[in-house]
Amino acid sequence: MADQAPPAEGAGPSKNALKKAQKEAEKAAKKAAAKERELAERTKNQANEPDVSKDNYGELPMIGSTPYTPSGDKRVKFSELKAQEEPAVFRCTVINARSQSAKLAFLNLRQGEETIQAVVAASEKLSKQMVKFAGSVSAQSIVLVHGLVKDVKEPIKSATIKNLEIHIQKLFIISKAVPQLPLQVEDAERPLPEEGAAEEPQKDDERPRVALATRLDNRVLDLRATHNRAIFTIKSGICQLYSEFMQSKGFTMIQTPKLLGAASEGGSNVFECTYFDRKAYLAQSPQLYKQMLVSAGFERVFEIGPVFRAENSNTARHLTEFTGLDMEMAFEEDYHEVVDLIVEMLLFIFKGLRERYSKETDIIREWASGGKNTIEDFKLPADGKVPIIPFKEGVKMLREAGEELGDYEDLSTPQEKHLGKLVLEKYGSDFYVLDQFPLAVRPFYTMPSPHDANLSNSYDMFMRGQEIMSGAQRVHDPELLVKRCLAMDPPVNPDGAGLKDYVDAFRYGCPPHAGGGFGLERIVSFWAGVGNVRLASLFPRDPSRVLP
């Protein structure tokens, strides 16, 4: 008989190989079926087992939906925990939960900025059913925990509290989070992607870096990230420090209208809205009202309130709604009395941030730099003398550094940043004042300079080379104010709606005064070095965002 020809090149596997593969598949199928039967049997047995913990876990009725009965349990904070024999009772958020086995589950729990590890271990007094329940709690659910606090032999790296852990005895869900979250809080706690990068792992990172737009679309989850809590703690702290300082200097806190019957400051950067049967406008600033109050006898006033600017600016430092820190005060002889007080106020705030909020500052800077701590500390002059630089000198410094600009041109954003670097090199300060700005680039209520008809008694203040405040001496003489209105391009009508009452306020006698307005979000972002003011707004508004 002739020898059998070998299979042609590219032909399928031999019969023996096929039989072997078939046997392997059958074997794997039998093994999987056996495992499934074993799991089903185990589940059945567990279901039939008496649940010794049945009253110690589960979902609680919605609070407020049943008659209130005091539990008598004292709730504690993580900061109060210490190893003890008596159970600690507390409410917290589940960061994640995982079953290690049928008898063991681990949970990471959060309360504010603090996190701690918790253990649920089956025993004669704690059922496997409870272990299974604990391991299945969805991330970000709010729970009530009863547990023993115990020391650990090795520091726990995954929690801020490294020397303790909770051995859970009771676990109740107060508010259950959906299993599939649109944004993982752990991802929100990672730094932003590099500019222009997609939402994908970068370099050696295992998880994606989430873009700012995605974070803001899911802001409630994003705000649960530790660095966001730190940002808004600092923001609150700045408001407190500002109020504390201003009140210590005899200022009265005021609240001015945000709905106006006319766009009284002129320009097109106002939001128009419907007010019953007529038009109204959102206030660009409290400027005119601050001055009217000075004329009314309130010689030192300050405000913390919303400001609206219809500027189609999609930059990292512009918002269409931001929080303004505004102030106005009468002075005796020269507007630099006001400049000096504002400088003193900002130094008070910076000192307060260092002394009261250093922990939060470190958290933010570590997050923004991806854990590398590369963001420079905010520098102030060693001798405490903040540079107050005439505008002309600033122009000269820029020209000597290669910039081209005219004597009376306003500075562009890149030129401001460049000047900030030059000031830091020369004076060792991230904070400085630029004084005597060109009159043509300031509003109609700005006092002209006695030194140069093209300049004004006005000033801006800067942090890290970016403007945080614009201010000036105001025109308090009604005749000069009318002239200034008519000299604007285009002219401003001093008898128009919204301005006549303002101009008339100075006809009744008014002391010389000056002031300024700060962008709170800018102070926060420039202090911490996060770069984008949207990060310092709870629910930011810009030309493309009015939700959530």
Side-chain angles (χ1 to χ4, degrees):
M1 189 176 195
D3 291 339
Q4 186 176 353
E9 187 176 348
S14 67
K15 290 183 179 179
N16 289 337
L18 287 172
K19 286 182 179 179
K20 185 176 181 182
Q22 188 176 356
K23 286 183 179 179
E24 290 292 336
E26 290 173 356
K27 186 177 179 182
K30 288 179 180 178
K31 189 174 181 181
K35 195 168 186 179
E36 191 174 330
R37 286 195 300 271
E38 182 184 349
L39 180 62
E41 188 68 23
R42 188 190 309 162
T43 303
K44 181 181 177 181
N45 291 337
Q46 285 182 1
N48 293 330
E49 284 180 13
D51 188 351
V52 295
S53 304
K54 62 181 180 180
D55 297 326
N56 294 337
Y57 69 94
E59 292 188 43
L60 292 176
M62 185 188 306
I63 291 179
S65 67
T66 58
Y68 169 61
T69 302
S71 67
D73 295 326
K74 179 187 175 184
R75 307 287 180 92
V76 298
K77 299 296 183 184
F78 281 4
S79 57
E80 302 170 328
L81 294 177
K82 56 184 178 180
Q84 57 186 27
E85 292 302 321
E86 294 297 320
V89 182
F90 53 83
R91 189 186 72 226
C92 62
T93 300
V94 175
I95 302 174
N96 61 62
R98 65 189 190 280
S99 293
Q100 195 79 359
S101 68
K103 295 185 177 182
L104 184 64
F106 289 95
L107 294 89
N108 284 349
L109 308 175
R110 179 192 297 277
Q111 208 182 66
E113 296 174 5
E114 299 289 348
T115 60
I116 195 167
Q117 178 175 280
V119 180
V120 185
S123 65
E124 292 181 358
K125 297 182 180 180
L126 196 150
S127 68
K128 292 179 182 178
Q129 293 95 320
M130 181 173 170
V131 174
K132 183 179 178 181
F133 170 82
S136 67
V137 177
S138 53
Q140 299 305 308
S141 294
I142 311 299
V143 296
L144 177 65
V145 174
H146 295 240
L148 292 176
V149 186
K150 295 191 176 183
D151 292 317
V152 293
K153 295 180 180 179
E154 297 290 335
I156 298 171
K157 297 179 180 179
S158 60
T160 61
I161 299 174
K162 301 184 181 303
N163 63 322
L164 299 172
E165 68 179 2
I166 306 296
H167 288 242
I168 293 178
Q169 297 174 318
K170 298 180 182 181
L171 178 66
F172 300 103
I173 295 177
I174 295 172
S175 178
K176 188 176 183 179
V178 294
Q180 297 297 323
L181 298 172
L183 172 68
Q184 297 298 324
V185 176
E186 291 89 340
D187 290 341
E189 292 188 325
R190 295 166 55 74
L192 288 166
E194 295 172 8
E195 193 170 348
E199 290 189 11
E200 58 185 25
Q202 298 181 34
K203 298 178 182 177
D204 297 327
D205 296 336
E206 296 179 359
R207 299 181 67 90
R209 294 194 186 184
V210 183
L212 181 59
T214 303
R215 295 167 187 255
L216 297 182
D217 288 342
N218 301 281
R219 191 59 161 157
V220 169
L221 286 171
D222 182 48
L223 287 171
R224 295 184 182 184
T226 304
H227 69 275
N228 278 323
R229 179 178 293 274
I231 286 172
F232 293 101
T233 298
I234 283 181
K235 190 174 184 180
S236 172
I238 290 172
C239 292
Q240 180 182 339
L241 290 162
Y242 176 60
S243 299
E244 189 178 317
F245 178 87
M246 300 305 279
Q247 289 174 338
S248 75
K249 297 295 182 180
F251 282 73
T252 300
M253 179 181 279
I254 58 171
Q255 295 81 34
T256 58
K258 305 309 170 199
L259 275 172
L260 309 181
S264 51
E265 289 190 50
S268 59
N269 297 330
V270 292
F271 288 110
E272 181 182 302
C273 58
T274 300
Y275 190 73
F276 298 106
D277 59 347
R278 55 195 183 277
K279 291 181 181 178
Y281 304 86
L282 297 180
Q284 291 173 275
S285 79
Q287 182 56 48
L288 307 190
Y289 292 100
K290 291 189 300 178
Q291 291 184 250
M292 292 166 75
L293 284 167
V294 171
S295 179
F298 294 80
E299 293 200 355
R300 294 189 171 203
V301 295
F302 77 102
E303 179 171 7
I304 302 174
V307 175
F308 302 91
R309 299 280 170 86
E311 298 179 16
N312 193 14
S313 298
N314 294 280
T315 75
R317 67 175 196 168
H318 284 90
L319 294 169
T320 53
E321 179 185 352
F322 62 89
T323 304
L325 305 182
D326 274 89
M327 56 83 63
E328 204 76 23
M329 66 174 273
F331 61 81
E332 298 297 332
E333 298 179 349
D334 181 74
Y335 76 96
H336 285 100
E337 296 168 27
V338 182
V339 175
D340 292 342
L341 183 136
I342 295 174
V343 168
E344 184 185 354
M345 178 266 290
L346 283 169
L347 290 176
F348 178 82
I349 289 175
F350 298 149
K351 183 174 183 287
L353 289 175
R354 281 180 172 165
E355 291 179 351
R356 305 182 196 179
Y357 302 97
S358 60
K359 176 184 174 183
E360 288 78 8
T361 300
D362 289 342
I363 288 172
I364 299 166
R365 291 177 181 170
E366 183 173 355
W367 167 80
S369 63
K372 298 174 183 176
N373 295 317
T374 55
I375 296 175
E376 295 278 342
D377 192 20
F378 189 78
K379 293 182 175 59
L380 293 169
D383 60 4
K385 295 180 180 178
V386 174
I388 300 178
I389 303 167
F391 186 84
K392 284 185 175 181
E393 183 182 328
V395 169
K396 181 182 176 184
M397 290 172 68
L398 285 169
R399 284 176 178 163
E400 290 174 350
E403 296 279 356
E404 294 183 8
L405 69 161
D407 289 345
Y408 304 112
E409 288 181 26
D410 201 1
L411 303 184
S412 66
T413 298
Q415 288 169 340
E416 286 182 355
K417 292 180 179 179
H418 191 178
L419 183 57
K421 291 179 181 178
L422 298 174
V423 171
L424 180 60
E425 290 172 6
K426 185 174 181 178
Y427 298 98
S429 180
D430 278 317
F431 170 46
Y432 71 96
V433 183
L434 207 55
D435 192 21
Q436 291 278 302
F437 267 75
L439 183 62
V441 302
R442 307 303 270 205
F444 62 85
Y445 44 74
T446 305
M447 179 69 75
S449 171
H451 308 293
D452 185 331
N454 293 307
L455 298 177
S456 62
N457 290 353
S458 63
Y459 41 87
D460 281 0
M461 298 190 182
F462 297 82
M463 291 176 66
R464 299 189 192 268
Q466 300 198 64
E467 177 207 330
I468 58 163
M469 190 222 72
S470 183
Q473 177 183 350
R474 324 300 187 182
V475 176
H476 63 282
D477 178 83
E479 305 309 318
L480 178 57
L481 184 57
V482 169
K483 289 180 182 179
R484 287 281 299 129
C485 287
L486 298 176
M488 299 298 291
D489 184 18
V492 176
N493 181 7
D495 294 320
L499 273 184
K500 187 178 185 304
D501 292 335
Y502 166 73
V503 175
D504 285 347
F506 303 108
R507 301 188 191 282
Y508 314 140
C510 180
H513 58 281
F518 299 81
L520 174 58
E521 288 78 7
R522 288 190 181 184
I523 298 176
V524 174
S525 59
F526 299 156
W527 169 263
V530 297
N532 196 314
V533 293
R534 288 164 184 77
L535 295 166
S537 177
L538 286 168
F539 298 96
R541 298 291 178 254
D542 59 32
S544 61
R545 181 175 294 277
V546 287
L547 293 171

